[in-house]
Amino acid sequence: MRKGTMAAIGAVLILLGGMLAHFTQTTSGIRIEDVRFKGAAGNTMSALVYIPRNASEKSPAPGILAVHGYINSRETQDGFAIELARRGYVVVALDQTGHGYSDPPAFAHGFGGPDGLAYLRSLPYVDKENIGLEGHSMGGWTILAAAAAMPDAYKSLVLEGSSTGKPFAADGTPTWPRNLAVVFSQYDEFSGIMWGSEYARNVPRSEKLAAVFGAAAPIEPGRIYGDISKGTARVLYTPAITHPADHFSHEAIGDSLDWFSKTLSGGTPLPPADQIWLRKEIGTLIALIGFLVLLLGAFDLLLTSPAFASLRTGPVDSDATSAVLPKGGRWWAVFWISALLPAITYYPAFAIGNAWLPASRFLPQAFTTEIAIWALLNTVITLALLPFVPKRVTRKDIAGPAVLIALATVAVGVVTVWLADLLFKIDFRFWVVALKLPSATQLMIMLIYLVPFTLFFVVALRALHANFSRLDAPAIGHYVTTILVLSLGIFILIGGQYLAMWLGGKLINPFPASPVIPLSTIIGIQFIPLLAAIAVISTFTWRRTGTSLPGALICGLLVTWYIVAGTATQAAI
């Protein structure tokens, strides 16, 4: 393959994926505005506003405030936003406080819900008599905070995988909130927290839910209780999905569409099954793949520069010509130890972080801290095992060029994400995996966490390639091996958890006293593709340089960016 071909392929994929995503989310003349506005406390809030063609000051359209869940951002609601906008609703897809581009800390100011509803009602092309609220998970508590603060400012409400009452909302009653739909999946990981039910499939028999519906349990899914005209209507939907699938499900999104069509006036009568949002997700997935291909192509091109000549692999001067473990019993023992250790340490690291290192101005993102503890724990274990790793000749005078090529490669990625946002108003994502531009605050936070993540990759990838990499190894087998070493253990852990959920109705909790298992399990879903991508990047760069350092530095930068920009900031800095 000619130099530059891979970069060109990556750019084409990004262009094609971006166009597909853009034309999907702007279908039928929908206009998207990226807005910032001030909250009541002077805090800056962020949102994407989806404006259908029919909305104008002379002919106001019904409005929806749509809010994502914890450690997500406004784009996570794109399935709801696209489908509601297609049906003539103005949608404000809000970044909760401490998420995306809204000011931290998270949880402040009613999660940003009252500010979001006030902003929606301020838009001159919104019909203030037909306002709906939709929120997933913690986004449900966000819209409940808005409903409590402004009880006459909305007409109906949809809770997706969320609940009234403790821990973060006012108690629900048969008359509050108005015209309530509860979409709670049969395999939701948070049924105990939300509705006091050990098993999600038993939520229809929840006493807490029955109190909100003003009926004796069990609640019959799909049946409307109360009276829409009086604002006391209630309905329960129970799709056969998980909590994070609520915002990636035709059925769950369709349930919301159905409820708003029944409780709000002015929308376009499209059937709930008529949905196109998945095309946008496919487009941003293509762009995400293109982003990875472009990074590799950019690295390949940069490597041809005289400035990076010392990094290029020669026929003799590379440490990659040294012996590695031969296939056999010891090789398989090292393979399984390397694959399973990250999974074994996963939940303990989260539990330690949750118990001992709450968010502070020095470590402002609780979940990033917990992931950093996991990384450092595995770094210490790997360092202890390094004496047993095959020795390689140490490359000299490559640290400077390795740092520069890593910075230049990631800079190409940053510019690419910026251009995609500018041209198409998208980030690079698929379901829970998402890469977006960091805010100024997040850039400062990245400096805090860059050191532990980079240290982890420098140590872990050195051991990985010392054990499993040779320049004369067939490329396909080489990539498959490194992908499995890095991601197989987490795949087994998370896959085993959801197998337990499917068969037994709930996740396995090795730390009953710790509240981290459901959320850390959901976070672990992202680890699988992320670790696979790290394996691809590090193997690609190693095969061209014979050293793990450039790939480790690139991965340190990318992963810090990915995590910090994509999670919640619980403390102001």
Side-chain angles (χ1 to χ4, degrees), residues 103-193:
D103 282 348
F107 301 91
H109 315 302
F111 310 95
D115 291 334
L117 180 54
Y119 177 77
L120 173 64
R121 291 182 60 83
S122 75
L123 299 175
Y125 43 81
V126 169
D127 178 2
K128 296 170 182 57
E129 300 303 315
N130 276 286
I131 299 288
L133 310 175
E134 181 274 326
H136 174 246
S137 192
M138 199 166 89
W141 299 329
T142 306
I143 60 171
L144 287 170
M150 306 170 68
D152 298 320
Y154 72 101
K155 199 171 181 180
S156 66
L157 186 150
V158 176
L159 295 178
E160 296 268 353
S162 191
S163 69
T164 58
K166 295 179 180 179
F168 291 111
D171 289 331
T173 71
T175 60
W176 187 89
R178 289 183 175 181
N179 290 334
L180 169 67
V182 175
V183 182
F184 207 84
S185 64
Q186 297 174 32
Y187 300 100
D188 195 290
E189 297 88 334
F190 297 100
S191 58
I193 296 171

Side-chain angles (χ1 to χ4, degrees), residues 61 69 82 96 101 135 150 202 260 262 266 269 306 312 318 333 350 388 394 401 406 451 463 509 520 525:
I82 290 168
Q96 291 182 45
Y101 305 124
M150 306 170 68
N202 292 337
F260 286 131
K262 288 181 169 69
R312 294 195 289 269
S318 171
F350 275 76
F388 304 99
T394 302
V451 172
N509 189 349
S520 57
I525 296 171

Side-chain angles (χ1 to χ4, degrees), residues 31 61 65 101 125 127 174 180 217 261 272 322 332 362 366 400 404 414 454 459 478 480 510 525 534:
R31 186 172 82 256
L65 176 65
Y101 305 124
Y125 43 81
D127 178 2
L180 169 67
S261 73
S322 304
W332 283 108
F362 303 106
L404 291 176
V414 172
T454 302
V459 173
H478 190 185
V480 169
I525 296 171
I534 289 164

Side-chain angles (χ1 to χ4, degrees), residues 195-196 202-213 215 217:
W195 294 108
N202 292 337
V203 163
R205 294 193 286 273
S206 161
E207 293 182 4
K208 180 180 178 182
L209 184 68
V212 179
F213 274 59

Side-chain angles (χ1 to χ4, degrees), residues 33-52:
E33 293 184 357
D34 187 347
V35 301
R36 305 288 185 275
F37 59 92
K38 288 295 181 182
N43 52 303
T44 297
M45 297 296 297
S46 159
L48 291 174
V49 184
Y50 296 72
I51 308 166

Side-chain angles (χ1 to χ4, degrees), residues 375-399:
L376 290 174
L377 182 58
N378 281 275
T379 300
V380 170
I381 294 172
T382 304
L383 285 172
L385 295 175
L386 277 183
F388 304 99
V389 171
K391 299 298 185 291
R392 291 267 171 107
V393 177
T394 302
R395 300 279 296 277
K396 297 180 179 179
D397 302 324
I398 63 169

